[in-house]
Amino acid sequence: MPVEWITSTAPVAYQTALTAMESRVAEIRAGTACEAIWLLEHPALYTAGTSADITHLREPNRFPVIQTRRGGQYTYHGPGQRVAYVMLDVAARGRDVRRFVEQLETWVIAALGEFNVNGEIREGRVGVWVTRPDKPAMPDGSLCEDKIAAIGVQMRKWVSFHGLSINVEPDLGHFDGIVPCGIADHGVTSLVDLGLPVDMADVDVALKKTFARAFE
C-alpha cells in the first residue's frame, strides 16, 4: 500500500497529534490503514523523551512541558518548525530499528541538500548538524556546529510514530529554556537563520521529493 501524506495547515495540539498517531499506528498494524507521513506544526512547547534529565529543563514555566515515550531528551516544538511524524511499518521494512533511524537521518540530509545545505551526523550527538564557519571557532579550534533537525521515534508492535523536526523559521530563542537534546556546547539554527529564503511549503516539497531515496 502507498504511503499517505497528510499536511495540517493550522498548528496541532500535541496531545491531539499523539492520540491521532496512536490510532493510526493501531490501524496500520491491523492492516486497515496504509502507512502515513504527517506534516504539521505545534504550538510552542517542550517535550521530554525517555532519556530526559530534569536539570536540562532550564525554564520549566516558559512553555507547557509534555512527557513522552519517544527516545531522546528535551526538545522544543513550535511555529516555524516542520514536524514530520512517520507512521511506518518497520516490521515490513526489515525489523531493524538502528537502520530505520539511519534512514530518517538520510532523509533529512537529502531534504536539506535540496537547499544546498550540508547536513551531517555526529557520533554521540542525535540529530542533524551544520557547520558554521561564519561563527567563532570552538575552544579546541574546530568549526562551530549548530543543530538544524531533531529525531526521536517510538515503536509499537513494529510500527513507528513520532519522527523528526526541521527548523525552518522558529524563534530560536525558545530553545534557551532547555538544553536541546542534552547538548550544551553547541547551538541551534534554522534554514532562515542560515540566510535561506525558505518557507514551510518549500520544505514539504523537499521532504516528499527525497523520501524515496531513504526508504524505498
Side-chain angles (χ1 to χ4, degrees):
M1 299 177 70
V3 175
E4 179 184 5
W5 290 83
I6 305 164
T7 303
S8 294
T9 56
V12 179
Y14 190 86
Q15 192 58 51
T16 299
L18 181 59
T19 299
M21 279 193 290
E22 290 176 336
S23 176
R24 184 60 174 255
V25 164
E27 291 171 354
I28 293 169
R29 183 73 288 139
T32 57
C34 64
E35 298 175 308
I37 307 292
W38 188 8
L39 304 175
L40 54 83
E41 294 173 84
H42 285 305
L45 62 107
Y46 297 131
T47 63
T50 54
S51 303
D53 181 341
I54 190 62
T55 64
H56 293 171
L57 182 59
R58 292 168 167 163
E59 299 181 36
N61 298 319
R62 187 168 186 173
F63 297 121
V65 180
I66 299 176
Q67 303 293 321
T68 77
R69 294 182 181 177
R70 62 155 175 80
Q73 303 191 47
Y74 284 103
T75 193
Y76 164 78
H77 291 310
Q81 183 188 73
R82 175 50 88 215
V83 174
Y85 284 139
V86 291
M87 291 156 279
L88 300 176
D89 187 346
V90 181
R93 295 171 179 271
R95 291 179 181 262
D96 187 333
V97 176
R98 183 184 295 271
R99 178 173 178 270
F100 180 70
V101 172
E102 290 174 350
Q103 288 175 308
L104 290 173
E105 294 169 341
T106 298
W107 183 27
V108 172
I109 290 170
L112 293 174
E114 293 294 302
F115 308 107
N116 296 315
V117 173
N118 184 32
E120 298 178 300
I121 304 303
R122 291 290 180 263
E123 185 69 28
R125 285 194 249 144
V126 179
V128 178
W129 299 79
V130 294
T131 56
R132 299 298 303 270
D134 55 314
K135 289 187 172 183
M138 300 294 290
D140 63 359
S142 61
L143 287 175
C144 174
E145 296 180 338
D146 286 342
K147 189 171 188 175
I148 194 166
I151 294 173
V153 295
Q154 182 181 347
M155 298 286 170
R156 181 167 296 168
K157 296 183 178 179
W158 286 102
V159 180
S160 67
F161 58 119
H162 298 287
L164 60 91
S165 60
I166 298 175
N167 295 331
V168 182
E169 192 179 7
D171 183 337
L172 296 177
H174 291 340
F175 286 91
D176 295 342
I178 56 172
V179 178
C181 298
I183 300 169
D185 54 351
H186 294 278
V188 180
T189 190
S190 69
L191 289 168
V192 171
D193 183 53
L194 294 174
L196 298 167
V198 177
D199 62 20
M200 209 64 70
D202 297 325
V203 172
D204 291 351
V205 169
L207 287 169
K208 292 176 181 179
K209 180 179 178 180
T210 57
F211 178 78
R213 299 182 200 173
F215 287 97
E216 297 178 5

